[in-house]
Short mmCIF file of all heavy atoms in Angstrom, two decimals:
data_model
loop_
_atom_site.label_atom_id
_atom_site.label_comp_id
_atom_site.label_asym_id
_atom_site.label_seq_id
_atom_site.Cartn_x
_atom_site.Cartn_y
_atom_site.Cartn_z
N GLU A 348 3.21 -149.66 -103.03
CA GLU A 348 3.58 -148.23 -102.98
C GLU A 348 4.02 -147.71 -104.34
O GLU A 348 3.57 -146.66 -104.80
CB GLU A 348 4.73 -148.04 -101.99
CG GLU A 348 4.27 -147.47 -100.67
CD GLU A 348 5.37 -147.56 -99.66
OE1 GLU A 348 6.43 -146.94 -99.91
OE2 GLU A 348 5.19 -148.28 -98.65
N TYR A 349 4.91 -148.49 -104.96
CA TYR A 349 5.39 -148.08 -106.29
C TYR A 349 4.26 -148.09 -107.32
O TYR A 349 4.19 -147.22 -108.18
CB TYR A 349 6.55 -148.97 -106.74
CG TYR A 349 7.88 -148.46 -106.23
CD1 TYR A 349 8.48 -149.04 -105.10
CD2 TYR A 349 8.52 -147.41 -106.86
CE1 TYR A 349 9.68 -148.56 -104.62
CE2 TYR A 349 9.73 -146.92 -106.39
CZ TYR A 349 10.31 -147.50 -105.27
OH TYR A 349 11.51 -147.02 -104.81
N LEU A 350 3.39 -149.10 -107.20
CA LEU A 350 2.28 -149.16 -108.16
C LEU A 350 1.38 -147.94 -108.03
O LEU A 350 0.88 -147.40 -109.02
CB LEU A 350 1.46 -150.43 -107.96
CG LEU A 350 1.96 -151.66 -108.70
CD1 LEU A 350 1.06 -152.86 -108.45
CD2 LEU A 350 2.08 -151.41 -110.21
N LYS A 351 1.21 -147.51 -106.78
CA LYS A 351 0.36 -146.34 -106.53
C LYS A 351 0.96 -145.09 -107.18
O LYS A 351 0.27 -144.30 -107.82
CB LYS A 351 0.24 -146.13 -105.01
CG LYS A 351 -1.19 -145.82 -104.58
CD LYS A 351 -1.29 -145.93 -103.10
CE LYS A 351 -2.08 -144.78 -102.52
NZ LYS A 351 -2.05 -144.82 -101.05
N GLU A 352 2.27 -144.97 -107.01
CA GLU A 352 2.96 -143.81 -107.60
C GLU A 352 2.86 -143.83 -109.13
O GLU A 352 2.63 -142.82 -109.78
CB GLU A 352 4.45 -143.88 -107.22
CG GLU A 352 4.91 -142.71 -106.38
CD GLU A 352 6.41 -142.74 -106.22
OE1 GLU A 352 6.90 -143.51 -105.36
OE2 GLU A 352 7.09 -142.01 -106.97
N PHE A 353 3.03 -145.04 -109.66
CA PHE A 353 2.97 -145.24 -111.11
C PHE A 353 1.57 -144.88 -111.64
O PHE A 353 1.42 -144.14 -112.62
CB PHE A 353 3.29 -146.71 -111.40
CG PHE A 353 3.02 -147.14 -112.81
CD1 PHE A 353 3.89 -146.83 -113.84
CD2 PHE A 353 1.87 -147.89 -113.12
CE1 PHE A 353 3.64 -147.23 -115.15
CE2 PHE A 353 1.62 -148.29 -114.42
CZ PHE A 353 2.49 -147.97 -115.43
N GLU A 354 0.56 -145.39 -110.93
CA GLU A 354 -0.83 -145.16 -111.33
C GLU A 354 -1.15 -143.67 -111.34
O GLU A 354 -1.84 -143.17 -112.24
CB GLU A 354 -1.73 -145.83 -110.30
CG GLU A 354 -2.77 -146.73 -110.91
CD GLU A 354 -3.40 -147.57 -109.81
OE1 GLU A 354 -4.37 -147.10 -109.18
OE2 GLU A 354 -2.91 -148.68 -109.59
N ARG A 356 0.85 -141.28 -111.95
CA ARG A 356 1.46 -140.66 -113.14
C ARG A 356 0.66 -140.96 -114.41
O ARG A 356 0.32 -140.07 -115.15
CB ARG A 356 2.92 -141.13 -113.34
CG ARG A 356 3.94 -140.76 -112.31
CD ARG A 356 4.08 -139.32 -111.85
NE ARG A 356 3.35 -138.31 -112.56
CZ ARG A 356 2.56 -137.37 -112.00
NH1 ARG A 356 2.38 -137.33 -110.69
NH2 ARG A 356 1.94 -136.49 -112.71
N ASP A 362 1.03 -139.31 -118.16
CA ASP A 362 2.37 -138.74 -117.94
C ASP A 362 3.41 -139.85 -118.03
O ASP A 362 3.85 -140.39 -117.01
CB ASP A 362 2.40 -138.04 -116.57
CG ASP A 362 3.79 -137.56 -116.19
OD1 ASP A 362 4.71 -137.63 -117.04
OD2 ASP A 362 3.96 -137.13 -115.03
N MET A 363 3.84 -140.17 -119.22
CA MET A 363 4.78 -141.28 -119.40
C MET A 363 6.20 -140.94 -118.93
O MET A 363 6.86 -141.81 -118.36
CB MET A 363 4.77 -141.77 -120.86
CG MET A 363 3.43 -142.34 -121.28
SD MET A 363 2.73 -143.50 -120.10
CE MET A 363 3.65 -144.96 -120.53
N PRO A 364 6.69 -139.71 -119.12
CA PRO A 364 8.02 -139.42 -118.56
C PRO A 364 8.01 -139.63 -117.04
O PRO A 364 8.96 -140.19 -116.47
CB PRO A 364 8.25 -137.94 -118.90
CG PRO A 364 7.37 -137.69 -120.09
CD PRO A 364 6.18 -138.58 -119.93
N GLY A 365 6.91 -139.23 -116.40
CA GLY A 365 6.78 -139.43 -114.95
C GLY A 365 6.75 -140.91 -114.60
O GLY A 365 7.37 -141.35 -113.63
N ALA A 366 6.03 -141.69 -115.39
CA ALA A 366 5.91 -143.12 -115.13
C ALA A 366 7.26 -143.82 -115.31
O ALA A 366 7.62 -144.70 -114.52
CB ALA A 366 4.87 -143.73 -116.07
N VAL A 367 8.03 -143.39 -116.32
CA VAL A 367 9.36 -143.98 -116.54
C VAL A 367 10.27 -143.66 -115.34
O VAL A 367 11.05 -144.51 -114.90
CB VAL A 367 9.97 -143.48 -117.87
CG1 VAL A 367 11.44 -143.84 -117.97
CG2 VAL A 367 9.21 -144.06 -119.07
N ALA A 368 10.14 -142.45 -114.81
CA ALA A 368 10.95 -142.07 -113.64
C ALA A 368 10.63 -142.99 -112.45
O ALA A 368 11.53 -143.41 -111.72
CB ALA A 368 10.71 -140.61 -113.29
N VAL A 369 9.36 -143.32 -112.27
CA VAL A 369 8.97 -144.22 -111.18
C VAL A 369 9.58 -145.61 -111.41
O VAL A 369 10.09 -146.24 -110.48
CB VAL A 369 7.43 -144.32 -111.05
CG1 VAL A 369 7.03 -145.33 -109.98
CG2 VAL A 369 6.80 -142.96 -110.76
N LEU A 370 9.57 -146.05 -112.65
CA LEU A 370 10.14 -147.36 -112.98
C LEU A 370 11.64 -147.41 -112.63
O LEU A 370 12.11 -148.36 -111.99
CB LEU A 370 9.93 -147.64 -114.48
CG LEU A 370 10.63 -148.86 -115.07
CD1 LEU A 370 10.11 -150.16 -114.46
CD2 LEU A 370 10.43 -148.90 -116.59
N TRP A 371 12.36 -146.37 -113.04
CA TRP A 371 13.80 -146.32 -112.74
C TRP A 371 14.07 -146.28 -111.23
O TRP A 371 14.99 -146.92 -110.74
CB TRP A 371 14.46 -145.11 -113.41
CG TRP A 371 14.92 -145.41 -114.80
CD1 TRP A 371 14.35 -144.98 -115.95
CD2 TRP A 371 16.05 -146.21 -115.18
NE1 TRP A 371 15.04 -145.46 -117.04
CE2 TRP A 371 16.10 -146.22 -116.60
CE3 TRP A 371 17.02 -146.93 -114.48
CZ2 TRP A 371 17.07 -146.91 -117.32
CZ3 TRP A 371 18.01 -147.62 -115.20
CH2 TRP A 371 18.02 -147.60 -116.60
N LYS A 372 13.22 -145.53 -110.52
CA LYS A 372 13.38 -145.44 -109.07
C LYS A 372 13.23 -146.83 -108.44
O LYS A 372 14.02 -147.24 -107.60
CB LYS A 372 12.33 -144.46 -108.52
CG LYS A 372 12.59 -143.97 -107.12
CD LYS A 372 11.64 -142.82 -106.79
CE LYS A 372 11.16 -142.95 -105.37
NZ LYS A 372 9.96 -142.18 -105.10
N LEU A 373 12.23 -147.55 -108.92
CA LEU A 373 11.99 -148.91 -108.40
C LEU A 373 13.16 -149.83 -108.71
O LEU A 373 13.65 -150.56 -107.84
CB LEU A 373 10.70 -149.47 -109.03
CG LEU A 373 10.43 -150.96 -108.81
CD1 LEU A 373 10.10 -151.23 -107.35
CD2 LEU A 373 9.29 -151.46 -109.69
N VAL A 374 13.62 -149.77 -109.95
CA VAL A 374 14.70 -150.66 -110.38
C VAL A 374 15.96 -150.41 -109.55
O VAL A 374 16.71 -151.33 -109.21
CB VAL A 374 14.94 -150.43 -111.90
CG1 VAL A 374 16.27 -150.99 -112.33
CG2 VAL A 374 13.82 -151.06 -112.71
N ARG A 375 16.18 -149.15 -109.19
CA ARG A 375 17.41 -148.79 -108.46
C ARG A 375 17.27 -148.91 -106.94
O ARG A 375 18.26 -148.78 -106.23
CB ARG A 375 17.80 -147.35 -108.80
CG ARG A 375 18.31 -147.23 -110.22
CD ARG A 375 18.88 -145.85 -110.43
NE ARG A 375 19.64 -145.80 -111.67
CZ ARG A 375 19.47 -144.88 -112.60
NH1 ARG A 375 18.57 -143.93 -112.43
NH2 ARG A 375 20.19 -144.90 -113.69
N THR A 385 5.83 -156.08 -109.91
CA THR A 385 5.43 -154.69 -110.13
C THR A 385 5.78 -154.25 -111.56
O THR A 385 4.98 -153.61 -112.24
CB THR A 385 6.13 -153.77 -109.10
OG1 THR A 385 5.88 -154.32 -107.82
CG2 THR A 385 5.61 -152.36 -109.15
N MET A 389 3.38 -152.83 -114.50
CA MET A 389 3.66 -151.55 -115.16
C MET A 389 3.79 -151.74 -116.67
O MET A 389 3.37 -150.91 -117.46
CB MET A 389 4.97 -150.93 -114.64
CG MET A 389 4.89 -150.40 -113.23
SD MET A 389 6.55 -149.77 -112.77
CE MET A 389 6.23 -149.10 -111.15
N PHE A 393 3.36 -149.76 -120.26
CA PHE A 393 4.52 -149.38 -121.07
C PHE A 393 4.58 -150.13 -122.41
O PHE A 393 4.97 -149.57 -123.42
CB PHE A 393 5.84 -149.67 -120.32
CG PHE A 393 6.12 -148.73 -119.19
CD1 PHE A 393 6.40 -149.20 -117.91
CD2 PHE A 393 6.16 -147.35 -119.41
CE1 PHE A 393 6.70 -148.34 -116.87
CE2 PHE A 393 6.46 -146.47 -118.37
CZ PHE A 393 6.73 -146.97 -117.10
#
Side-chain angles (χ1 to χ4, degrees):
E348 258 169 61
Y349 274 100
L350 274 181
K351 224 167 136 186
E352 243 188 280
F353 169 78
E354 231 168 87
R356 295 310 351 130
D362 173 8
M363 297 313 280
V367 168
V369 176
L370 171 65
W371 272 106
K372 196 169 140 198
L373 169 69
V374 163
R375 289 189 167 129
T385 308
M389 288 178 176
F393 286 127

